[in-house]
Amino acid sequence: MTLQSELLLHKLRKAESYDGQLLFIDYDNHHISGLHEASESFKTVSFVERPEEMKSALEYLQDCHRLIIHPHSYVELLHTGSHIWQARLSWFANSILLPIFVSIATTLITLAISS
């Protein structure tokens, strides 16, 4: 995942009050805010990216299955977008820890067979 999309995902998570909340992106005023009922308070997060860069980063995040782009500048974070740390932990376990454990197990089996 690119750094720009990672930062955008962080801003979207900050604007989200609960999982599955629709977020509105105001490209003119450079704000992201969650949809809310009249009685609820809501969070607004500002951004400095140009609209073209923002749209390409949103499309990239949609291709990575982190969010869904709805019509009229609305987006919805998916579970994998809201809980990115779980995806990172899974990547760390599969890419780093698993090969280490396989290497250790292979070494121990080779030593047991050769002795």
Side-chain angles (χ1 to χ4, degrees):
M1 187 175 313
T2 64
L3 179 62
Q4 180 184 8
S5 60
E6 184 76 29
L7 293 173
L8 176 58
L9 192 59
H10 178 70
K11 289 177 185 177
L12 291 170
R13 283 195 316 261
K14 283 177 65 176
E16 186 180 50
S17 298
Y18 55 88
D19 283 348
Q21 180 183 23
L22 280 179
L23 301 170
F24 176 70
I25 300 176
D26 186 354
Y27 293 106
D28 296 329
N29 296 320
H30 296 272
H31 285 103
I32 303 169
S33 59
L35 291 182
H36 58 89
E37 299 294 324
S39 61
E40 295 178 359
S41 62
F42 65 97
K43 301 176 188 175
T44 300
V45 178
S46 61
F47 63 90
V48 294
E49 294 86 358
R50 293 192 318 246
E52 302 83 30
E53 293 175 0
M54 179 81 118
K55 289 176 184 176
S56 66
L58 287 171
E59 289 171 0
Y60 175 76
L61 289 171
Q62 183 174 14
D63 292 341
C64 292
H65 305 288
R66 302 284 190 243
L67 57 80
I68 298 172
I69 300 174
H70 295 284
H72 308 295
S73 301
Y74 292 104
V75 297
E76 177 183 358
L77 285 177
L78 297 176
H79 180 76
T80 55
S82 295
H83 304 284
I84 192 72
W85 61 271
Q86 290 175 343
R88 286 191 186 133
L89 185 61
S90 174
W91 173 86
F92 181 74
N94 291 330
S95 299
I96 298 177
L97 294 180
L98 185 63
I100 290 172
F101 289 130
V102 168
S103 175
I104 291 170
T106 305
T107 302
L108 291 177
I109 291 171
T110 304
L111 289 174
I113 291 174
S114 65
S115 60

